[in-house]
Amino acid sequence: AQKITQTQPGMFVQEKEAVTLDCTYDTSDPSYGLFWYKQPSSGEMIFLIYQGSYDQQNATEGRYSLNFQKARKSANLVISASQLGDSAMYFCATRGFQGAQKLVFGQGTRLTINP
Amino acid sequence: DTEVTQTPKHLVMGMTNKKSLKCEQHMGHRAMYWYKQKAKKPPELMFVYSYEKLSINESVPSRFSPECPNSSLLNLHLHALQPEDSALYLCASSHASSPPQHFGDGTRLSIL
């Protein structure tokens, strides 16, 4: 079984600052993936970044980076130089690579970027 | 614009109506998914199709009936829904055994 915990229901950040969204996970799968998705108020789920459990380096995609600490079971999302358009709900998710192709999501963090 | 297209974007229906949600992707993905998302909650998996065969049904009531006519199309047939079924319905697709899942914009469903 897998579980994702996002402990920050809401965050408020000034524009251009960096922001870290916390995510811890629990899984019994020996290999797994960790994902971050962004969901604006319009509803679409936008894939941001992926980290495989055996990847040696932390994933980066433009302004997004994933701070993967396997021993701590954490997969925090770092957004550099935040922009007003980053205001949205952010979900951390995990999927094991054995058995069902099921994404398990955390409860989400609502990020608000202030001008 | 997403590469997974869902229609309609909004749907209002009565409890006795029959309607269908449609999802289409042309990325060559062989796994397709339906999720249900209530307000301020994360998406919850409903169904998974892998190579056009139903591989996961998360104990979804029979008033929701999925169909995968071909590798690009996924439908969700709705019949005799309840008000608590009002939600955002998201479709996603992925390569069969590798991440990530790419989502459509969703259909906002309201049951009167």
Side-chain angles (χ1 to χ4, degrees), chain A residues 54-68:
Chain A
Y54 285 103
D55 292 341
Q56 295 296 316
Q57 293 192 318
N58 286 346
T60 60
E61 288 286 349
R63 292 186 300 113
Y64 304 107
S65 60
L66 200 152
N67 184 359
F68 180 47

Side-chain angles (χ1 to χ4, degrees), chain A residues 58-104:
Chain A
N58 286 346
T60 60
E61 288 286 349
R63 292 186 300 113
Y64 304 107
S65 60
L66 200 152
N67 184 359
F68 180 47
Q69 297 189 42
K70 197 170 182 178
R72 292 186 176 185
K73 294 191 174 181
S74 75
N76 298 340
L77 176 70
V78 180
I79 306 175
S80 63
S82 57
Q83 303 171 356
L84 296 178
D86 294 332
S87 294
M89 194 73 158
Y90 287 80
F91 290 101
C92 180
T94 187
R95 201 206 97 173
F97 292 144
Q98 291 181 347
Q101 302 150 334
K102 182 175 175 176
L103 261 184
V104 174

Side-chain angles (χ1 to χ4, degrees), chain A residues 9-20:
Chain A
M11 285 194 69
F12 295 84
V13 172
Q14 284 301 120
E15 191 180 6
K16 298 180 186 173
E17 287 183 355
V19 57
T20 298

